[in-house]
Structures are given as structure tokens and as C-alpha cells.
Amino acid sequence: GIVLELLKEAMVSKLGDTKGFLINGYPRELKEAEEFDSKIGEPKLVFCLDCSAETMSSRLLMRNQSSQHSDNAETIKEGIESYYQASKPVIAYYEKKTQLCKVN
């Protein structure tokens, strides 16, 4: 709820200055997508960056080498599995509304 309210405030404050908004990483769960639609409105377009678990894992492992993240391969694998479980219903939700654009 807090993230949604912050998004709404930021969007309302810029309404006259923009043609639209790009929101990165939200919604992450179906409940958030439904709340966004009911409290702010349905988005005209949703992008989904579609890549394999192997690609995500290798990129996260590379990120660890160049930063202070200390995730190991098993932690990364668990995080990716959790991401897929949470995002599948969100992707299906927006596919039904024909608002989803998958980018490979």
C-alpha cells in the first residue's frame, strides 16, 4: 500500500508535465497489479523483460563480482524461482488485458 501511494503521489504531481510514466519493477505480485488498476487506473502498456533463469543467474553473479552483494549461486537460484512464482500471475493478468509486451 505504501509503494502504491508513493507512486500515485509522484504521478499526480507530474500529470501536466508528461505524456506518460515508466514504472520499473512494479507490480511484482497480482494483488499489486489489481490494486494499481483500481486505485490509479489500467496501464496502457506493460513491458515484461523475458529472459531465461540462466541469463538472470549469470548476470546476478557478475553483479556480485563488481559490487558488495554477497549472494551465492544457491541464493540467486532461490530468488529467481521466487520471482517466477510471483510474476507468472501478473504476466497472465496483463496478457488477458492485451496490455503486455514481452521483450526478449
Side-chain angles (χ1 to χ4, degrees), residues 25-37:
Y26 188 87
R28 291 182 186 255
E29 297 179 356
L30 180 58
K31 180 181 175 187
E32 293 172 341
E34 293 168 339
E35 288 176 349
F36 185 93
D37 288 2

Side-chain angles (χ1 to χ4, degrees), residues 1-54:
I2 293 171
V3 172
L4 185 60
E5 285 303 315
L6 291 172
L7 278 172
K8 185 175 180 180
E9 286 176 24
M11 292 170 77
V12 167
S13 73
K14 299 290 184 187
L15 278 177
D17 301 333
T18 184
K19 294 180 183 177
F21 301 94
L22 179 62
I23 301 169
N24 181 18
Y26 188 87
R28 291 182 186 255
E29 297 179 356
L30 180 58
K31 180 181 175 187
E32 293 172 341
E34 293 168 339
E35 288 176 349
F36 185 93
D37 288 2
S38 70
K39 293 182 179 179
I40 295 178
E42 290 186 15
K44 292 181 181 174
L45 181 63
V46 175
F47 287 101
C48 173
L49 301 180
D50 190 19
C51 66
S52 69
E54 293 80 21

